[in-house]
Amino acid sequence: MDFDALISGLDRHTLDGITRGSIYALVALGYTMVYGVMKLINFAHSEVFMVGTWTVLGVYTVLGATSGMGVGAVIGATVLALLAAMLASAGTALAVERIAYRPLRKKGAPPLIFLITGIGCSLVLVETFGQVLKAFFGPPFGRVTVNVPSVIETKVVFTIPGLDLPVTNTRLLIIIGAIVMMVALDTFVNKSRLGRGVRAVAQDPDTASLMGVNQERVIMLVFVLGGAMAGVAALLFTVQYDITKFDIGFIIGIKAFTAAVLGGIGNLRGALVGGLLLGVVEVYASQIWDSSWTDVTAFIVLVLVLMFRPTGLLGESLGKARA
Amino acid sequence: MLLEMKDAVLSYGKIEALHGISVHVEEGEVVSLIGANGAGKTSTMRALSGVRGLSAGSVVFDGQDVTKMRADQRLRKGLVLCPEGRGIFPGMTVTENLNMGAYTRKDKSAIDEDYDRVFDLFPRLLERKKQIAGTMSGGEQQMLAIGRALMSRPKLLMLDEPSMGLAPMLIQQIFDIITEISQQGTTILVVEQNAKQALSRSDRAYVLETGNIVKTGTGPELLDDPSVREAYLGVA
């Protein structure tokens, strides 16, 4: 155990953890919103994120974007990649809902069937990128890690005075991007008419339909919103880590799920709190022990939360308390 | 005829809750449906509002067959249910709950009129506008539920056990308001265990027993009916 390493670089590790946690938090939103309205853990959500990362790679490849372009070109390529990733991820999420979940819902299938179906969808998507697309198009598809061009060159933008902590443009983009998306989503759910419909379905689906809320529409909406957030997360992830892989969704997905549970699944602000906390805890753990402990620590945290506070830090529910 | 349900059968799995009942409501009427616990009153309401689909029979509302429509589609036609156990959104404020009643509407000025009307009927709600609904008393929650239903501008307002769990004085007050709503021109179908209140306020009524309509008549007729008096009014 090496607490000195942690203490000596505490500011740096905290910033590192927040960066990581921002991405978890964005992905966690998808789990938490779908759970809020359907009481379902959508295990295919990790692949919604994965599709987003490949979309970013696709856009960069088509545009021929690389590092060292002019500022205008960098911004243009990044924005295009962002929009494409949001669209692709939202589309994937919607397709999963339409093709897999909706027919089950119409038949009134028990909850366990939904879970297994979600895992099935996840495997299908993973193997599509690991196997099927490779058979048709060859590399970069396949079972290896692929580099995504680091279009944005990492630069130190400013140094936090007093701490002597350098902050890079990529970290800044990730943290601010995640917070902006979170605030936008939170405002939408709490202030808009459609958002009120989402909260109503989360609190009481039957009564919501008696108010004229179309439940199917609300379900589609949460899949699309959750998917779009995963798309944003995908772009930010490639900005920071410059890679993707056919099974990259698995570990990010399970971490984001942990973050959602940690914050209180069904609770949007909980996803933010849980994501950031998990990110920071992981980085601290990797300093105290070594980086092989990162994942172990994350899941120990999950188990502890489930044992001692099953409703998470901020408590369950998209629309606050259930009567 | 504003509403006509014919030979309605409703099942929960293998258990049949309604065995082919027929109910109708004319425009401007107050009609009540009385019966003991488990007679099928709430099932009838669920079938009429579209929360539950029928396995046989039909529902026609305002000249249109709505049998296959979902609850949210029926609401848009003006068929509004104020559900049993109040069914307010506990995590929302009073205002947000009322807003939910107007969820499908876009006629801003008419919505404002309806707010005034609801606050007129229930001054209590005006005082408590910003309160979280789950923290209000049972009577206040019932008022909110009725107010919210009115925000949907019902052609037919269906009320499922509005007196449930309320003190006698409050029951009296709630029924006074129901009568007032009816006088303002809204047709009403009310389901009640409190047969005395319901019958004395209704133009017509149905008696429901174990999923069948066993009796029907005007309110006064049923109030005088010996078997009804014995079974539901507690007098021999």
Side-chain angles (χ1 to χ4, degrees):
Chain A
M1 279 208 266
D2 186 3
F3 283 97
D4 292 343
L6 173 63
I7 304 297
S8 65
L10 192 63
D11 49 359
R12 190 161 48 84
H13 301 315
T14 307
L15 183 65
D16 200 17
I18 291 174
T19 312
R20 217 179 241 260
S22 300
I23 293 170
Y24 293 158
L26 280 175
V27 180
L29 289 172
Y31 288 102
T32 229
M33 281 206 294
V34 168
Y35 181 84
V37 303
M38 292 173 75
K39 302 287 169 277
L40 162 76
I41 306 295
N42 173 19
F43 278 115
H45 189 60
S46 46
E47 271 47 73
V48 168
F49 168 83
M50 180 270 291
V51 170
T53 61
W54 284 93
T55 309
V56 172
L57 175 63
V59 170
Y60 285 168
T61 309
V62 170
L63 294 177
T66 50
S67 55
M69 300 189 301
V71 177
V74 167
I75 293 176
T78 308
V79 169
L80 264 182
L82 172 69
L83 294 177
M86 287 172 80
L87 212 64
S89 289
T92 307
L94 190 59
V96 168
E97 140 61 15
R98 277 308 186 79
I99 297 167
Y101 293 137
R102 185 184 243 204
L104 294 176
R105 207 162 51 243
K106 292 252 182 274
K107 289 206 169 77
L112 199 58
I113 308 291
F114 283 85
L115 284 186
I116 301 294
T117 304
I119 293 170
C121 288
S122 169
L123 287 175
V124 166
L125 285 163
V126 166
E127 289 309 322
T128 302
F129 281 80
Q131 202 76 52
V132 181
L133 290 177
K134 187 189 178 192
F136 283 103
F137 304 107
F141 299 112
R143 312 186 89 81
V144 290
T145 305
V146 183
N147 287 319
V148 178
S150 45
V151 171
I152 303 174
E153 259 179 291
T154 308
K155 273 192 213 124
V156 176
V157 208
F158 63 88
T159 306
I160 297 179
L163 291 175
D164 200 26
L165 175 64
V167 178
T168 61
N169 53 351
T170 48
R171 281 189 197 284
L172 210 57
L173 174 69
I174 291 167
I175 296 169
I176 292 178
I179 289 173
V180 166
M181 294 315 290
M182 290 259 178
V183 170
L185 186 67
D186 194 72
T187 310
F188 172 77
V189 168
N190 281 308
K191 301 278 186 250
S192 74
R193 177 178 161 277
L194 265 178
R196 215 160 51 228
V198 172
R199 280 157 63 215
V201 174
Q203 286 185 34
D204 186 340
D206 276 353
T207 305
S209 72
L210 289 173
M211 304 293 110
V213 181
N214 183 338
Q215 209 174 322
E216 292 294 317
R217 281 262 267 307
V218 165
I219 288 173
M220 277 167 57
L221 181 70
V222 295
F223 272 90
V224 166
L225 287 175
M229 293 295 151
V232 177
L235 177 94
L236 298 178
F237 177 86
T238 59
V239 164
Q240 179 69 14
Y241 300 102
D242 303 328
I243 52 159
T244 184
K245 202 182 173 194
F246 74 111
D247 63 354
I248 200 148
F250 178 73
I251 200 76
I252 299 281
I254 212 153
K255 295 284 182 61
F257 170 63
T258 306
V261 174
L262 187 60
I265 194 154
N267 187 322
L268 290 183
R269 291 171 195 180
L272 178 64
V273 171
L276 295 182
L277 197 65
L278 187 68
V280 170
V281 166
E282 275 189 10
V283 174
Y284 285 0
S286 73
Q287 292 303 314
I288 295 172
W289 296 285
D290 61 66
S291 62
S292 62
W293 281 82
T294 318
D295 296 350
V296 179
T297 312
F299 298 122
I300 289 175
V301 168
L302 176 63
V303 170
L304 289 178
V305 169
L306 289 175
M307 275 168 73
F308 295 108
R309 201 174 157 82
T311 54
L313 296 173
L314 301 192
E316 187 206 308
S317 119
L318 194 53
K320 290 165 204 150
R322 273 182 158 253
Chain B
M1 207 175 297
L2 187 59
L3 175 79
E4 186 175 31
M5 178 155 85
K6 257 196 190 154
D7 308 318
V9 177
L10 183 124
S11 317
Y12 299 101
K14 284 182 181 147
I15 301 157
E16 203 177 277
L18 302 175
H19 313 297
I21 70 167
S22 299
V23 171
H24 74 270
V25 181
E26 304 282 348
E27 197 147 358
E29 274 187 319
V30 177
V31 175
S32 61
L33 205 65
I34 62 170
N37 254 337
K41 303 188 301 290
T42 293
S43 294
T44 308
M45 289 311 222
R46 292 169 76 86
L48 285 170
S49 64
V51 173
R52 244 0 253 208
L54 291 177
S55 35
S58 65
V59 182
V60 174
F61 179 68
D62 206 13
Q64 197 176 5
D65 189 337
V66 298
T67 316
K68 295 265 181 277
M69 282 188 191
R70 295 188 311 261
D72 59 289
Q73 295 166 316
R74 295 189 199 188
L75 175 116
R76 284 162 209 262
K77 307 265 169 234
L79 184 57
V80 176
L81 170 65
C82 176
E84 179 193 38
R86 306 182 256 282
I88 52 146
F89 297 107
M92 294 188 188
T93 64
V94 168
T95 310
E96 284 181 313
N97 265 285
L98 291 176
N99 278 336
M100 281 308 300
Y103 186 80
T104 60
R105 296 173 56 188
K106 301 213 162 63
D107 43 347
K108 185 89 182 54
S109 62
I111 292 176
D112 287 340
E113 274 169 37
D114 285 349
Y115 273 119
D116 292 343
R117 177 184 176 209
V118 167
F119 289 138
D120 237 28
L121 284 168
F122 303 106
R124 229 355 175 355
L125 296 182
L126 185 61
E127 291 163 26
R128 312 236 148 172
K129 262 167 106 167
K130 294 211 169 108
Q131 192 167 339
I132 299 287
T135 65
M136 298 199 303
S137 74
E140 287 163 349
Q141 291 189 15
Q142 185 59 62
M143 292 175 190
L144 177 57
I146 297 175
R148 186 184 58 182
L150 288 176
M151 291 306 294
S152 312
R153 279 243 164 147
K155 280 185 193 142
L156 175 62
L157 174 61
M158 302 190 287
L159 299 150
D160 194 351
E161 301 239 17
S163 77
M164 192 161 83
L166 299 186
M169 228 180 71
L170 265 173
I171 295 180
Q172 189 74 31
Q173 201 187 338
I174 292 282
F175 271 97
D176 284 345
I177 287 165
I178 292 171
T179 306
E180 196 177 333
I181 293 168
S182 147
Q183 282 160 358
Q184 290 173 355
T186 307
T187 310
I188 289 172
L189 175 63
V190 59
V191 154
E192 259 300 333
Q193 272 198 68
N194 189 326
K196 192 173 165 212
Q197 278 289 347
L199 291 177
S200 59
R201 308 266 185 166
S202 301
D203 300 310
R204 282 188 309 112
Y206 296 90
V207 181
L208 201 57
E209 264 172 30
T210 58
N212 292 300
I213 302 276
V214 293
K215 228 177 218 22
T216 173
T218 65
E221 271 169 23
L222 290 177
L223 270 176
D224 287 335
D225 186 290
S227 64
V228 170
R229 286 173 72 87
E230 191 178 348
Y232 300 104
L233 302 175
V235 275

